[in-house]
Amino acid sequence: MLDQFGRSIRYLRVSVTDRCNLRCRYCMPEEGITWVDHSAILSYEQILRLVRLAAGLGVEKVRLTGGEPLVRKGLVGLVRGIKATGGIRTVSLTTNGVLLAEQLPALLEAGLDGVNLSLDTLDRDQFAALTRRDELPRTLEGLEAALAAPGLTVKLNCVPSGDNDAQLVPLAALARDRDLTVRFIELMPIGLGDTLTRRTEDEVLSRLEKAFGPAIPCPSDPLAGPSRNVTFPGFRGQVGFISAVSHQFCQSCNRVRLTATGFLKTCLQYDHGVDLKALLDTGADDAALLEAMAEAIGRKPASHHFGGSRQARDEGRNMNQIGG
Ligand code: SAM
Ligand code: SF4
């Protein structure tokens, strides 16, 4: 469906849990986390029902995220159910990769189309410092398993900060020899995102061009999202930039988010949207849910205001509660 600014909303990101097996510094605090009670989290049946209704409104691409989606039991069944939903063309997963190698065969069998794996450094000590867990070996196993899976679209997501400057070139170099897109996602001032130093797209690109030569722009696929992709001489894969702060892309935003607690969130930065779990809990029928979803999507805000001063309805959740 179209929102109030004529943007066609075709992409739903579904957070299945706020739990995670890492503690990335820009995403979650080390301690003092209040977990959402299990009773407040959408069941898989409820997620499937909402995905079916969203598909009726024009959503055709679903991404499962978290927290860490692979820590929630039974995710394979959810993937299978979403894949079987009429109108949904692709189901993909954003994961830190720690549990991926062991779960990938079943996920592939259920129809998973793509994996975005988050990885900010190839240095084990730095990984442990950035994520507060010594899990680089298992993450790399997950990456290798994904790259070996025939037909699976694999992307690597890195958030450049002052802490991993020296890793940007080695990470991008993975796209030189592998059929992989390595994307640099600008740190956003959500949750703990303000506690690290942002490196902009221009800063990262200039480092990469010094190492690999002049960037060659790649054609963009509108359904693939806001990533601006380039390649470098001799590269097999691509390097992408998702730069919400320095190169705002809100005019072409095609996504909404469903939090683990059932809030349909229409812009990353604001708390705008509708509490679908509250409606589900009061026994709302499909027509009432559809009406609430359509109304919220229709009123999707024009743009975020990252970089500006705080506003009354700014998001107060941390990224693990939203799904990125
Ligand atoms: N746990 C999974 C993972 O890390 O891929 C999925 C959830 S995580 C919240 C989704 C993405 O959000 C990750 O790629 C992470 O790096 C990114 N992220 C978290 N906080 C961020 C921030 N403040 N700015 C930009 N990206 C952020
Ligand atoms: Fe967990 Fe992903 Fe947040 Fe890291 S970015 S703490 S892996 S939810």
Side-chain angles (χ1 to χ4, degrees), residues 26 65-68 94-96 118 159 186-188 190 193 319 323-324:
Y26 46 68
T65 174
E68 172 50 40
T94 294
T95 172
N96 60 33
S118 305
V159 177
E186 257 178 23
L187 187 66
M188 291 178 279
I190 300 264
M319 217 46 140

Side-chain angles (χ1 to χ4, degrees), residues 20 22-24 26-28 67-68 96 320:
C20 189
L22 301 183
R23 293 286 180 280
C24 301
Y26 46 68
C27 182
M28 289 174 85
E68 172 50 40
N96 60 33
N320 68 302

